[in-house]
Amino acid sequence: MDVTETAGMRDTVYGRQGELLDLLIDYLRQPSVSATGEGFPAATQRAMRELELAGLRAEVWETAGRPCVFGRADGPPGAPTVLIYGHYDVQPVGPSDLWRTTPFEPVIDAGRIWARGSGDNKGQHYAHLQAVRLLREARGGLPVTVKIILDGEEEVGSPNLEELVSRQRDALAADVVIYSDGPVDNSGQWCVKHGVRGVLGIGLHVRYADRAVHSGNFGNVVPNPAWTLVRALASMRDDDGKVLIDGFYDDVVPLGEADREALRGLPPDDSTLADFGVAEMDPAYGDLSFQERLAALPTLTINGLHSGDPQRTIIPHEARARIDIRLVDGQRPEAVLERVRAHLARHAPDVVMTQEMGVPPARTPIDNPFTPRIARAMAAVTGQPPLLVPAMGGTLPVYVWNQVLGVPALGIPFANVDENNHGPNENLEVSRYLDGIAISMAVLSELAGTVAR
Amino acid sequence: MDVTETAGMRDTVYGRQGELLDLLIDYLRQPSVSATGEGFPAATQRAMRELELAGLRAEVWETAGRPCVFGRADGPPGAPTVLIYGHYDVQPVGPSDLWRTTPFEPVIDAGRIWARGSGDNKGQHYAHLQAVRLLREARGGLPVTVKIILDGEEEVGSPNLEELVSRQRDALAADVVIYSDGPVDNSGQWCVKHGVRGVLGIGLHVRYADRAVHSGNFGNVVPNPAWTLVRALASMRDDDGKVLIDGFYDDVVPLGEADREALRGLPPDDSTLADFGVAEMDPAYGDLSFQERLAALPTLTINGLHSGDPQRTIIPHEARARIDIRLVDGQRPEAVLERVRAHLARHAPDVVMTQEMGVPPARTPIDNPFTPRIARAMAAVTGQPPLLVPAMGGTLPVYVWNQVLGVPALGIPFANVDENNHGPNENLEVSRYLDGIAISMAVLSELAGTVAR
């Protein structure tokens, strides 16, 4: 495939934009709120039908929760297999008075499609589906074997995805996994994301009495759970932000040289801090750049802290904290959880710990064989090379591909930065949707040149 | 005065209990809620009239807030002067559905007077007023000069009392101050209280951003105010409960030998801990007894701790704590506040501190010349010597007597332990009220033997 051919793809897509938008708008009309069940089971059937309309052989894969749908369309014999992951469920609508439109009645206005699910994630995976359809129409067949899996419960943490991927390992076998979720780089530039941090959520609870007591009548007598919690937390982290839990960093796989070089090449990305009224980055981490702080380091964050009453002279009867730990490549949630447990047993035995969630991290080295081809395809469509991001700070269930299926996984997000996913007025820029279709067509074509397993 | 005479006083009081109860019940019908103004200004006039009915020359002393009333009745030339402090204002009624009776319609039932203000403090200072009246009737005059001041805003922290006492220093001049507030010892035994702890309330606040941000997308980048607050608090106190603020203990006046001996003589008083579900006293203070922890040591208590959201994976944008410090003899709120300020400036400069309240501590040495006479009078009425308590854990504005007026101040509480002051179903045992009158008669008679200034 040469540049002329890629430019032709983009022209084709933009030439058919009326049809491509109508199809997406109709797909967005179908509610699919995994948290509440709104729109199910119709949403599953609708997702399967969309796979079929794109020319894939589709089936519903039941799980203990909401089903996934899976589709497959073969390329030429010996061609590599590309597995595309997306999710057809959406977040709840939230307070409807904050929306300027009706969430499941999509509207195109100011160059954007306004609807729940437009950015997260229907508009993004639908771009891949339309890319498959257009490629078949244009070439009479696909350059690679395409498999598409659409998750039905990503917005509730994909609790059954790992089990499903283990069970359907053969059906899912692929050379590379592509997912398009979340926004492009904060600068607005297209990018390829190579990893995500994992997350481990932990609740901490200390309780000494049935009820709060008078701080004068019982001060120094009745033990104070707020002090115990404060001392437990303080024992976990030093002034330089270093986590003091024994063995916390032991399993961290350092970034490779190519990843470090890519990090150094990224533009500074602290402009958004001013939007929050934050003057400077956390001084605990010294000179580390914005992206290094996200890609190279795990976190230990206090999400919430609650005890007593700020208006009353009492000794509280209980104290609670919620912390989350963002994990980087090599760290396993279970192992880190055990280290936190051991730390508390030694330093703060009165603190009761509860695990709230755990998702492993995932990272594909930036010097893998697929990234250069994907980057070339994207550059051909968009006119400039995408940013190569070693890892992002947030968490997605990418580990099921890297670790369970054992396949490199790469993220090529299509959504605009202000897609308002999870909030009111979710939207997707029309041009991002159309460019996403052209990018997917170019990427699938370019990946034909890689060697299958 | 001999024991026969004292026993005669008790008989007189019990013989006239119908009349003494009717008078109190009528007094309790007058609402006097300083926090809301309910019952004012009538409540002030009513309190003054009660002083007059007891035979005192009474006047209203205006303040910047609710007025005090003051009365005086002279004893023989050269007799010592006893100043009695009480308060005629009461707490708000609170949720009326929790009351079994109507708060300002007093009811006698099960040996108790049920009404707002019965224990705190009308029933207690009214016992002194009736003692003055009965003593005059029985003896044709008073054995000592009696001055009574009734505060109109004790329940809102007596914000104008210090200024008033300074201004009325001459009118208030006395040899000893007696106050009857709060309950008798937790064991139910009568007691003489020699001190109270002071209190200093401080708010702590850290804020870095306008709003909470995603803990994955910004973890290690946006500073976390909860960590700053936790580390600031942890820097203030070690594992043994010792406060690490420079100079915190410098001004503490240690208990004298007589006070220590009195402390050792007190019964163990940790039985109430089981009521709160607390298994053992705070281990940070080792072998110290319940009373030593209250009388000899200042506290540093976290009253409340709030930051973020325990349900969300966020970095909070602000964190707040409220602490109170209970001060012991010698410590001044302003000086301790400055030491906290200096500590934060050195260890946690991002923490903004606000002072919320400050009341100095007060202590009268247990080996003062009045306690033995008071104790002898009480023993004659009740049949056993009172407990001598060097200091209680809570806070009352006793410093205005010890420090502003410069007179020893002694507490002889009359209320039962379960008086439910500040709560619903406030009550005073009839026998405590009647014994209180007899005790006051005996105490005033005994104090005639002390030497005036």
Side-chain angles (χ1 to χ4, degrees), chain A residues 179 193-198 327-329 360-364 390-399:
Chain A
Y179 59 94
K193 291 184 171 170
H194 291 74
V196 293
R197 288 197 286 202
L327 307 162
V328 298
D329 198 27
R363 194 165 71 218
T364 296
M392 46 185 270
T395 302
L396 293 169
V398 178
Y399 77 99

Side-chain angles (χ1 to χ4, degrees), chain A residues 112-115 118-119 415-416 418-420 425-429:
Chain A
R112 298 177 188 223
I113 310 155
W114 303 84
S118 54
N416 35 295
D418 54 354
E419 60 169 327
N420 293 342
N425 303 312
E426 182 176 346
N427 68 87
L428 179 64
E429 290 177 0

